[in-house]
Amino acid sequence: MVGKQKHRYTLYYVNARGRAEPIRLVLHYLGAEFDDTRMEMDDLKAVIEKKAPMKQAPFIEVDGGKLVLCQTTAICRYLAKSIQPELWLAGATKTLSAKCDMVVEGMYDIYNDVMRYNYEKDATVKEELSQRYWDKGKLRLEFLERILETSKGDYFLGKKLHWCDLFVFGNMGSMLDVDNRMFSATPHMRKFYLRMRNLPELKPYIQKYWPKPEFNS
Amino acid sequence: MVGKQKHRYTLYYVNARGRAEPIRLVLHYLGAEFDDTRMEMDDLKAVIEKKAPMKQAPFIEVDGGKLVLCQTTAICRYLAKSIQPELWLAGATKTLSAKCDMVVEGMYDIYNDVMRYNYEKDATVKEELSQRYWDKGKLRLEFLERILETSKGDYFLGKKLHWCDLFVFGNMGSMLDVDNRMFSATPHMRKFYLRMRNLPELKPYIQKYWPKPEFNS
């Protein structure tokens, strides 16, 4: 996309996948050039203090600060509509957009529970959160699995990729770091994960920044 | 809007504000007729088991089940775009839509922490969650307060109401039930709350279903 790109994007986060990864995947999938600013935590804190709309990362600057956005889902949806709009990555109809949003929010519920467990320091609370993400997570993953299973194509909404696919895939990567049993009962999601890793738009980036896949089928 | 309404909507939830309230407010604001199905928990569980896409409520049926959506934000955004689209309640530009989403997600982070505290039964965990929602919530509310304060109109994005206004307002109502100190340091949000209660599109519904406001200015 280099050369005809209309806007400049600078993404700020630490050098980890986390909540920035779905944004990076949307940008890579759309072939957009962007500054993938991966900072040390202390340096990031200083930048957040100065520039971030809600004092949190990830956040993105468009055209050097003409627009500054935070919140992963808001940023992904914006980029999905803005870069190569003819691909309709955020859904070509109101119904597809709503289904895309629904998959995203369903996955985010699971991811948020897992990450809350991951960062908790108090042992008692951590144990409670572990139980929660495991019980609720399993139940919720079943529904995502069902959507993929009954999809009439390789993606959540059928034959066409939407940003919910990139969002789910990005979160799966981080969740596997925390608990590699998570997707043991979801074979369609495992296959989806491996397929997404090999998309030509994503593969060079994945090979450089992601660890090897935790499962093979 | 009765008479020219294109679709039929049935919303399923318990008889409480909770996660259904932003959806109800969007529907009322747009003057849409809908079945506001408020069920006893046991009855709702049976309906969820049978019909809900991710086995959770709220969920909404469009035209008797031709489309079924869950997840509050996905449903609100869909309705904001579908009913009276000429009002552009989800944003008339990509930038306004992204800012609307950002406000929604910022508010949802606070709301989710408060509700997680509210429903927690284990005393140790509850204490930890109390500290969290109070510390993080105060910080996050400050940014929403700043956005309102610097807005060039009565709403988060200026002179025009968007669904983020209805979403924030709906969540404020439920949060005040849990902790009425929450908005002590955000006078613009308090005024916003009182103004929203009096919108002619919402007032009849609010007077019937909401308790009296917890503060007067």
Side-chain angles (χ1 to χ4, degrees):
Chain A
M1 221 202 162
V2 185
K4 58 176 179 163
Q5 186 171 324
K6 280 188 190 157
H7 300 284
R8 283 184 304 126
Y9 304 101
T10 309
L11 176 65
Y12 293 92
Y13 201 60
V14 289
N15 186 21
R17 288 185 285 185
R19 291 183 194 273
E21 202 61 16
I23 304 167
R24 294 186 186 118
L25 293 174
V26 170
L27 287 159
H28 281 293
Y29 183 80
L30 291 171
E33 276 207 323
F34 68 107
D35 287 325
D36 190 4
T37 312
R38 292 167 181 254
M39 309 182 85
E40 294 300 318
M41 187 56 94
D42 284 346
D43 298 334
L44 181 63
K45 277 185 183 161
V47 175
I48 284 175
E49 193 56 43
K50 201 175 151 196
K51 292 182 168 189
M54 294 186 188
K55 306 257 193 239
Q56 61 192 24
F59 71 97
I60 196 163
E61 282 181 339
V62 184
D63 295 333
K66 279 188 190 166
L67 174 65
V68 189
L69 293 173
C70 67
Q71 291 285 355
T72 301
T73 57
I75 296 170
C76 286
R77 193 179 292 107
Y78 170 80
L79 296 172
K81 292 194 288 188
S82 303
I83 307 168
Q84 300 206 46
E86 69 280 10
L87 290 184
W88 295 103
L89 221 63
T93 65
K94 287 188 278 273
T95 299
L96 281 168
S97 298
K99 287 181 176 175
C100 181
D101 289 346
M102 193 170 77
V103 168
V104 164
E105 295 302 322
M107 185 65 176
Y108 223 14
D109 282 345
I110 310 170
Y111 178 86
N112 285 330
D113 280 349
V114 170
M115 289 306 147
R116 194 166 283 222
Y117 156 81
N118 193 36
Y119 291 115
E120 179 59 53
K121 288 189 181 95
D122 180 291
T124 313
V125 179
K126 200 174 177 84
E127 176 56 33
E128 201 262 2
L129 295 179
S130 158
Q131 200 57 44
R132 181 190 160 89
Y133 88 69
W134 184 249
D135 293 344
K136 287 221 166 190
K138 264 200 300 192
L139 198 68
R140 286 171 171 155
L141 284 176
E142 268 179 36
F143 304 119
L144 292 178
E145 174 78 358
R146 189 91 30 90
I147 297 175
L148 263 187
E149 193 179 349
T150 57
S151 163
K152 294 190 169 65
D154 282 348
Y155 305 105
F156 276 94
L157 308 186
K159 290 184 181 137
K160 210 183 113 20
L161 182 144
H162 290 81
W163 75 272
C164 61
D165 298 296
L166 298 163
F167 184 88
V168 169
F169 171 58
N171 281 4
M172 280 184 85
S174 304
M175 284 158 65
L176 284 166
D177 281 352
V178 177
D179 185 342
N180 62 19
R181 303 164 305 162
M182 282 220 78
F183 300 98
S184 56
T186 56
H188 289 88
M189 287 192 78
R190 288 210 305 278
K191 276 181 210 139
F192 167 80
Y193 168 84
L194 293 170
R195 207 157 54 223
M196 293 293 288
R197 286 185 72 109
N198 282 310
L199 281 179
E201 295 88 345
L202 301 180
K203 199 171 181 179
Y205 168 74
I206 300 287
Q207 285 186 326
K208 184 168 173 192
Y209 280 103
W210 285 36
K212 290 216 163 109
E214 286 78 355
F215 40 72
N216 295 310
S217 68
Chain B
M1 219 200 163
V2 186
K4 57 176 180 165
Q5 187 171 324
K6 279 186 194 160
H7 300 284
R8 282 184 305 127
Y9 305 101
T10 308
L11 176 66
Y12 294 91
Y13 201 61
V14 289
N15 186 20
R17 289 185 284 185
R19 291 184 193 272
E21 202 61 15
I23 302 167
R24 295 186 185 120
L25 293 174
V26 170
L27 287 160
H28 281 292
Y29 183 80
L30 291 171
E33 274 206 325
F34 68 107
D35 287 325
D36 189 3
T37 311
R38 294 167 181 255
M39 308 181 85
E40 294 300 318
M41 186 57 92
D42 283 345
D43 298 332
L44 181 63
K45 276 185 185 162
V47 176
I48 284 174
E49 193 55 44
K50 201 175 151 197
K51 293 182 166 189
M54 294 187 187
K55 306 255 194 239
Q56 62 191 24
F59 71 97
I60 196 163
E61 281 181 339
V62 184
D63 295 333
K66 280 189 189 163
L67 174 66
V68 190
L69 293 172
C70 67
Q71 291 286 355
T72 301
T73 57
I75 297 170
C76 286
R77 191 179 294 106
Y78 170 80
L79 296 172
K81 291 193 290 188
S82 303
I83 307 168
Q84 299 205 47
E86 68 281 10
L87 290 184
W88 295 102
L89 220 63
T93 65
K94 285 188 279 275
T95 299
L96 281 169
S97 298
K99 287 182 175 175
C100 181
D101 289 345
M102 193 170 77
V103 168
V104 163
E105 294 303 322
M107 186 63 176
Y108 224 13
D109 282 344
I110 310 170
Y111 178 85
N112 285 330
D113 280 350
V114 170
M115 289 306 147
R116 193 165 285 221
Y117 156 80
N118 192 37
Y119 292 113
E120 180 58 51
K121 288 187 181 99
D122 180 291
T124 314
V125 179
K126 199 173 176 85
E127 176 56 33
E128 202 261 2
L129 294 179
S130 157
Q131 200 58 43
R132 181 190 159 90
Y133 89 68
W134 184 249
D135 293 345
K136 286 221 166 189
K138 264 200 301 194
L139 198 69
R140 286 170 171 155
L141 284 176
E142 267 178 37
F143 305 119
L144 292 178
E145 174 78 358
R146 190 90 31 91
I147 295 175
L148 264 187
E149 192 180 349
T150 57
S151 163
K152 294 191 168 66
D154 282 349
Y155 305 106
F156 276 94
L157 307 186
K159 289 183 181 139
K160 210 183 113 21
L161 182 143
H162 291 80
W163 75 271
C164 61
D165 298 297
L166 298 163
F167 185 88
V168 169
F169 171 56
N171 282 3
M172 281 184 83
S174 304
M175 284 159 65
L176 283 165
D177 281 351
V178 178
D179 185 343
N180 63 18
R181 304 163 304 163
M182 282 221 76
F183 301 98
S184 56
T186 56
H188 289 88
M189 287 193 77
R190 287 209 305 277
K191 276 180 211 140
F192 166 80
Y193 169 83
L194 294 170
R195 207 156 54 223
M196 293 292 287
R197 285 185 73 108
N198 282 311
L199 282 179
E201 295 89 345
L202 301 181
K203 198 172 183 178
Y205 169 74
I206 300 288
Q207 284 185 325
K208 185 169 172 193
Y209 281 103
W210 284 36
K212 290 218 163 108
E214 286 78 355
F215 39 72
N216 296 310
S217 69

